[in-house]
Amino acid sequence: MKAFVDALAMLVGGALFGFGLALSGMIQPEVVLSFLRLQDFGLMLVMGGAIAVTATVYFFAPRRLARPLWGAAFMSRITTLDADLIRGSALFGIGWGLSGVCPGPAIAALGTGNLELLWSVAGLFVGAFLHGLLRSRPREAAVN
Amino acid sequence: MADFFPTGWQHFLAGGLVIGVGVSLMFVLSGRVVGLSSFFSSTWSWFSGLSHFQRDDLVQSRVWRLWVAIGLVLGAALWWWSTGQEAALHTSVSPVMLFVGGVLAGFGARLSNGCTSGHGICGLSSMSPAALVAVLVFMGFAMLTANLVAWLSGGGV
């Protein structure tokens, strides 16, 4: 039962996310590229709208609720500012600028029958695998 | 206004608000801060024995991250159905650009621990200084790259 409720929460949350990405045009690489080429600033409104809602809830929910309605504890996002963050973000930006596709829209676009974006999904999986390979080597070498 | 938003602004803002409601709902219900790029690593934990993919956080989150991904597809499908379009969407970006861009974006997002949703939406909403740096860096590089590609392909900047 708990697993079902958890899955349902993530399915509905993901569906809202996907609907919003589609409604705002972010699942179309051309729309994202027109922002990156400074022709249409719509992406700023998408980010701004999403952040306005999310920041409010991230701020108030942990202060008003003892714990999440169906979960154990509120998590917080901890990211360290280091060289990998800069290098990774630069590479991410180059990839995003080449294709106009980032992880969320690559997945969501499949729901609109835009199967060409399977190329993006495949690329994202390959990129994540290469990162795992890089990160796994030292530890496995130490074991051997 | 029309100069900045030649295709209108309402659908952008409305879409952003819906995204925010989705991310917020997942937080209030489960307590999770949900970025989307980790899905591409956690899913590998089913298929690869590499130590990185067998990390607890990736193995323990792989099921719910898969549900979020299924939700993304269903939500976009619902939008597509609601618009009454008959033809599937199509992109003019070439398969090579989509694939190469995907590899770089996938590697980079995992190296920096986040993407447009993780650093952009969740990170900035958490008032994280590191996320702000990440967003400024990837926005800058993405704008440079997109303009360079347009210039090289003769489309003008």
Side-chain angles (χ1 to χ4, degrees), chain B residues 125-136:
Chain B
S125 295
S126 306
M127 311 291 164
S128 156
L132 181 61
V133 173
V135 171
L136 293 175

Side-chain angles (χ1 to χ4, degrees), chain A residues 42-124:
Chain A
L43 191 144
M44 289 277 98
L45 293 177
V46 181
M47 287 285 262
I51 290 170
V53 176
T54 307
T56 306
V57 174
Y58 276 10
F59 183 83
F60 284 108
R63 286 169 176 79
R64 296 293 170 94
L65 299 170
R67 57 185 143 83
L69 302 182
W70 295 340
F74 286 111
M75 293 169 196
S76 60
R77 190 179 165 81
I78 302 155
T79 315
T80 324
L81 180 52
D82 58 11
D84 278 347
L85 181 117
I86 309 280
R87 279 195 284 258
S89 296
L91 285 173
F92 174 78
I94 294 170
W96 190 34
L98 282 178
S99 61
V101 183
C102 54
I107 304 168
L110 303 179
T112 64
N114 195 347
L115 299 183
E116 289 153 309
L117 290 207
L118 281 171
W119 287 106
S120 300
V121 171
L124 287 161

Side-chain angles (χ1 to χ4, degrees), chain B residues 77-102:
Chain B
L78 188 66
W79 168 81
W80 185 69
W81 176 76
S82 74
T83 60
Q85 296 178 69
E86 305 223 330
L89 293 192
H90 163 78
T91 180
S92 55
V93 179
S94 75
V96 174
M97 292 289 250
L98 292 174
F99 182 76
V100 174

